[in-house]
Amino acid sequence: MRKGIAEERDLVNKLDRLGFAVLRAPASGSRTKLDRPDIIAGRVGLHLALEVKSTHQKTLYVKKESIHQLMRFAEKFGAKGLLAIKFKHQCPDWILLDPSLLTPTEKGYKINLKSAIKTGIGLEALVTKKITDYS
Amino acid sequence: MRKGIAEERDLVNKLDRLGFAVLRAPASGSRTKLDRPDIIAGRVGLHLALEVKSTHQKTLYVKKESIHQLMRFAEKFGAKGLLAIKFKHQCPDWILLDPSLLTPTEKGYKINLKSAIKTGIGLEALVTKKITDYS
């Protein structure tokens, strides 16, 4: 079972309640080399490709390729590519973050809880704010 | 393993080569009651929700709920809902069919190979013809 699968189900259910049709990727991804996000969610006018990340730490580190394949998929699909981040036991809500807001590191990217809260958006903003498909 | 998983992989690879970003649903679907298609495929301007069906017979029978949940998902997501049909050992190519072209039966819907070839489209038509998101 994929790490963080319980978190992913929670996110799927919340997106569903916000009016999105949602599809999770299969848990085993080893059989394909195609780019793919963890979740695709759509409502008429807004399609999202989401990479789900969770951490117990105060800073989230993400591998370069994880972000790059997400953005390749999102551009090809015609969706907005976002990170869906859960800072466990620190912030009860999902934070959605445009990958361009991450700080580059040697091996990839990072963001801390404080910056994520400041620059990210909550799930509800998907339906209350005007967000378009392209980053 | 889900029936027809090899066919599904073939379809995913062909859609990828046609320029679509593709996501398959997880093989085990029992954990969720949310509507979902077998495959979502997208290119900028065209998003597809696909229900994959294959048969060795000359007539394909489809359960009512299988079609209805596909169309609910497609409408909610903002995609065109289509059946992707493989008549095994009879027709080498995938046939994409708008569910409205199926013939109602007591328990669901049906279509035979001859009608499917006549009213359906091939995969290549997704990129050569003007097809829009809504059925």
Side-chain angles (χ1 to χ4, degrees):
Chain A
M1 187 178 274
R2 180 163 51 186
K3 236 168 107 185
I5 204 106
E7 278 81 25
E8 245 183 68
R9 291 225 174 82
D10 171 68
L11 180 58
V12 166
N13 289 330
K14 284 176 176 163
L15 288 166
D16 175 71
R17 288 201 291 273
L18 287 169
F20 285 87
V22 188
L23 192 68
R24 278 201 311 115
S28 154
S30 55
R31 297 231 187 175
T32 174
K33 296 209 171 159
L34 300 180
D35 296 327
R36 62 168 196 194
D38 292 321
I39 290 174
I40 290 184
R43 306 203 315 161
V44 174
L46 179 60
H47 297 103
L48 305 172
L50 301 174
E51 192 74 15
V52 181
K53 299 289 176 194
S54 62
T55 179
H56 284 95
Q57 312 300 318
K58 286 204 185 307
T59 299
L60 174 76
Y61 291 88
V62 190
K63 285 181 188 160
K64 199 174 283 185
E65 183 52 18
S66 177
I67 297 298
H68 292 186
Q69 65 92 23
L70 172 69
M71 300 317 284
R72 282 195 302 265
F73 184 96
E75 189 185 7
K76 191 173 177 183
F77 188 88
K80 187 172 184 68
L82 291 174
L83 282 182
I85 309 173
K86 174 65 78 93
F87 285 93
K88 290 191 205 178
H89 311 307
Q90 302 170 78
C91 181
D93 298 319
W94 288 93
I95 299 173
L96 300 177
L97 192 81
D98 190 312
S100 66
L101 298 169
L102 295 166
T103 303
T105 67
E106 200 176 327
K107 288 185 179 176
Y109 301 94
K110 68 175 180 180
I111 190 157
N112 63 35
L113 174 58
K114 200 174 155 188
S115 299
I117 288 173
K118 195 173 162 189
T119 59
I121 59 170
L123 292 181
E124 297 70 20
L126 293 173
V127 293
T128 57
K129 291 189 186 174
K130 177 71 190 157
I131 296 171
T132 55
D133 276 9
Y134 304 98
S135 309
Chain B
M1 185 178 276
R2 180 163 52 186
K3 236 168 107 184
I5 204 106
E7 277 82 27
E8 246 184 67
R9 291 225 174 84
D10 172 67
L11 179 58
V12 166
N13 289 330
K14 284 177 177 163
L15 287 166
D16 175 72
R17 288 200 292 273
L18 287 169
F20 285 87
V22 188
L23 193 68
R24 279 202 310 116
S28 153
S30 55
R31 298 229 187 177
T32 173
K33 296 208 171 161
L34 301 179
D35 295 327
R36 63 170 195 192
D38 293 321
I39 290 174
I40 290 184
R43 305 204 315 163
V44 174
L46 178 60
H47 297 104
L48 305 173
L50 301 174
E51 192 74 15
V52 181
K53 299 289 176 192
S54 62
T55 180
H56 284 96
Q57 310 302 317
K58 285 203 186 309
T59 299
L60 174 77
Y61 292 88
V62 190
K63 284 182 188 159
K64 199 175 283 185
E65 184 52 19
S66 177
I67 297 299
H68 292 187
Q69 66 92 23
L70 172 69
M71 299 318 284
R72 282 195 303 265
F73 183 97
E75 189 185 7
K76 191 173 178 183
F77 187 88
K80 188 173 185 69
L82 291 174
L83 282 182
I85 310 172
K86 174 67 76 95
F87 285 93
K88 290 190 204 177
H89 310 309
Q90 301 169 79
C91 181
D93 299 318
W94 287 94
I95 299 172
L96 300 177
L97 193 81
D98 190 313
S100 67
L101 299 169
L102 296 166
T103 303
T105 66
E106 199 176 327
K107 289 184 178 178
Y109 301 95
K110 68 176 181 179
I111 191 158
N112 63 36
L113 173 58
K114 200 174 155 187
S115 299
I117 289 173
K118 194 173 163 189
T119 59
I121 60 170
L123 292 180
E124 296 73 19
L126 292 173
V127 293
T128 57
K129 290 189 186 175
K130 178 70 191 157
I131 295 170
T132 55
D133 275 10
Y134 303 98
S135 310

